[in-house]
Amino acid sequence: GGLELLGLINDILDLSKVEAGKLSLHPDKVPTDAIVGHLQQQFLPVARDKGVDFPVRVADDAPALLFTDVQRVEQILKNLLSNAFKFTERGSVSLEVHRPADGMTLQRASLTGVDAIAFTVADTGIGIEASRLKDIFEAFQQEDGSIDRHYGGTGLGLTIARKFAHMLGGEIHVESRQGAGSRFTLV
């Protein structure tokens, strides 16, 4: 439909701006609760429609304030959440806000220790085959064509999410087992 095409065009525009170094960030102090609130507002109706639970947990030690470009952070998390809901027919999609786990191997030295916050989107959906995990962030890669037709979407969401995460000084981690759901974490 028209909305899907619009989504695709917006995604491609975002991607080309990132590639050209033309996407400017507007960091500001933002309450963690505000981000969580926006996402709950947007995805509770989706959860209700699908009959899927949408628990949201903010850990006690999660930072109350972030200094970041809230629009971009929300765009990343919306991509992760809409994917999770798209591929989850039953069970739950959860959002957890927490400090990165001690055992988490962070690729960017700047993220180590106390300053980092992690947003984890976990689902009980179809999961991703191990051999495909490294491909899912490449543009237009989805499980296979039939999934693309069944679930729709531009196939660019994760590509954009990862590029935005890097621009914001962060990274995205994924753990998944086919048939057992997925966990995406924005740090």
Side-chain angles (χ1 to χ4, degrees), residues 34 39 41 43 54 64 81-82 87 102 107:
L39 295 168
Q41 221 173 350
F43 287 98
F54 181 36
L81 282 163
S82 52
F87 295 117
D102 289 341
Q107 278 116 28

Side-chain angles (χ1 to χ4, degrees), residues 63 66 99-100 110-117:
L66 298 181
R99 297 266 182 204
S110 56
L111 283 174
T112 46
V114 290
D115 290 339
I117 187 171

Side-chain angles (χ1 to χ4, degrees), residues 8-10 27 33-34 45-46 49 64 74 79 89 94 97 102 114 121 126 134 141-142 147 155-156 160 165 169 181:
L8 178 60
I9 292 168
N10 284 334
D33 287 351
V46 181
D49 285 351
E74 287 187 7
N79 270 324
E89 299 292 336
S94 65
V97 185
D102 289 341
V114 290
V121 173
I126 59 175
K134 62 181 187 318
Q141 294 282 338
Q142 286 186 342
I147 284 198
L156 284 174
I160 290 171

Side-chain angles (χ1 to χ4, degrees), residues 23-86:
L23 197 72
S24 49
L25 293 175
H26 304 285
D28 207 349
K29 283 201 194 68
V30 54
T32 307
D33 287 351
I35 296 175
V36 171
H38 288 160
L39 295 168
Q40 274 179 304
Q41 221 173 350
Q42 195 168 355
F43 287 98
L44 271 170
V46 181
R48 266 200 303 272
D49 285 351
K50 286 202 82 167
V52 170
D53 290 326
F54 181 36
V56 174
R57 286 184 290 277
V58 180
D60 296 337
D61 64 350
L65 272 182
L66 298 181
F67 183 71
T68 190
D69 183 324
V70 65
Q71 190 194 345
R72 299 304 168 196
V73 168
E74 287 187 7
Q75 205 168 346
I76 294 169
L77 293 169
K78 280 173 193 171
N79 270 324
L80 297 181
L81 282 163
S82 52
N83 272 357
F85 278 107
K86 187 165 29 171

